[in-house]
Amino acid sequence: MSGQDRRVYLLSPRTLSPETIAVAFAKTSRSPESFDVIASALSEEASAQFHERWVVGYGHASVAEHAVLHIALENISRLAIECIESNRLASYTEKSTRYQMWDRTAFVVPAEIRNASLGNLYRQTCELLLDTYLASLAPLRKVAQSAFPREDGESEARWDGRIRSRYVDVARYLLPSAVFANVGVTLNARSLEHAIRKMLSHPLAEVRDIGEDVRRVALQEVPTLVKYAQASPYLSRLAQTKPGPVKDDASGGANSEALGPAGGVFLRHADAAAEARALAAAVVRTEGLAYSQALRAMENSPERRRAAAQDLLGEMGQWDHPSRELEHVTYSVEVVADQGAYFEAKRHRMLSLTSAPLTCELGYVTPRWMAEANLLESYRRAMDAARGAYQKIAHENPALAGYVVPNGYLRRFLMTLNLREVYHLCELRARPNAHFAMRVVALHLAELVRQVHPLLGSWMRLEDLPDWESLEADYFLQS
Ligand SMILES: Cc1cc2nc3c(=O)[nH]c(=O)nc-3n(C[C@H](O)[C@H](O)[C@H](O)COP(=O)(O)OP(=O)(O)OC[C@H]3O[C@@H](n4cnc5c(N)ncnc54)[C@H](O)[C@@H]3O)c2cc1C
């Protein structure tokens, strides 16, 4: 083989440590040698010295992106998960509240409240919520069975497997944020360093402790790259929240914007002219025109806009992502949705997310099946008890009070996202196999986007789906 033949090969983590792989890649910047030759000359000690000098000392932080870790976290609260999953450049898979069930002891008792006067109230509230959750499963299962009858020749187990998410999707409204979660995280050492700093700066002791644990286990794999991660006063200050009572109506706007039974989706910022700009960008790519010339062409001619849009999106297959030019069109959207839906929305890493603290101040939603299963009274009792506990705990420690807030309570969040991410989110989350609360958000968002950008919005693959209002009415009662 000559030195000029093409070579494609792995630097395998089975034989090289993550830090050594990162150095082997980093050294290609100055060394004429091939990667495997560079790697064979490296020891873990030499790699550590390289990172100390270049990544830590000199600030060449992107090198750390080549050291990738897989971290397993178990029996942490869903509230703690919010901080862990706030890192964009990472991958997560977590235990599903749609397909798995929790027992009455499966919740975190945070150190701050363990021996405090409110400790008993905290435990009793979580137990009440979990007892009500467990007691709701059988009646909700009956409702699911009559809605989705057993098919010919279907075993009991198979039938239950087919309909389980339908009734667990409703029962999960009772789960407080204190319940245990497991999450597998894959991320590189650069992201991890920031993730640890954020965790160590968090107002909750549980999250800070997880940050210490994550740093401890990460040091076994990347002894240099996360060694200096520590709490930041700036991040600590940003993480402080002071949730207060909501003074305006929950939507924060005029009565015409009042929340519906599932909350609401409000398009706060969008620019109708952005459609022409994205199409002009596409023409720059295909025709090489100057942007101003392409933009003039798009602004002056509806026919040219239609043709450019057809060119850009018309040939998309079922699994194709729309072209990047859609990223030139952005929206800011305020959403008020239940905490379960928020928890799913926050997984969309491409969007910019700002969320209000988790509180009981916006009220809670009531899934229609709670009434059909004759569970309204116990559901409301549990939700009201959670609110009472929330208020008492919030009086002493607002951040801590979030632990007792169940999935059914509404959460306010703001998403700024581009049209390409709108396509992804709406198409994925509007599908019949997605949770119904998230489907309402996705379908509503798609409608708002299509109103402002009818041309570029029209290729979203949402055929044969219900409109969000009928879905909302099917699944939620007006509280
Ligand atoms: C029916 C259903 C069931 C689900 N069940 C579970 C579950 O049990 N457990 C669970 O943890 N999650 C579950 N999810 C969430 C799901 O796995 C996604 O994390 C979530 O929908 C966010 O979508 P995304 O990762 O595609 O998109 P985003 O984060 O919004 O990213 C948009 C797109 O960017 C690209 N992208 C983003 N980040 C990366 C990356 N790091 N590497 C490569 N490409 C990237 C991908 O093309 C992605 O589609 C479920 C989702 C659905 C719809």
Side-chain angles (χ1 to χ4, degrees), residues 90-94 96 98-99 321 347-350 421 424 428-429 433-434:
S91 306
Y92 312 95
T93 299
E94 77 200 61
S96 172
R98 306 187 61 204
Y99 303 101
H321 300 298
R347 289 289 301 280
H348 287 275
R349 294 154 291 179
M350 292 295 150
E421 178 69 349
H424 177 63
L428 183 72
R429 298 298 190 166
N433 66 348

Side-chain angles (χ1 to χ4, degrees), residues 357-412:
L358 176 57
T359 72
C360 290
E361 296 296 335
L362 298 179
Y364 61 83
V365 300
T366 305
R368 189 173 285 284
W369 276 19
M370 285 291 179
E372 290 186 22
N374 284 323
L375 292 167
L376 266 190
E377 205 180 308
S378 58
Y379 179 69
R380 287 181 176 148
R381 195 177 327 116
M383 298 307 261
D384 291 344
R387 179 160 206 251
Y390 165 84
Q391 285 170 333
K392 287 199 175 101
I393 299 169
H395 193 64
E396 296 197 359
N397 183 337
L400 205 59
Y403 278 108
V404 296
V405 179
N407 270 332
Y409 273 91
L410 290 167
R411 181 98 180 248
R412 185 193 308 281

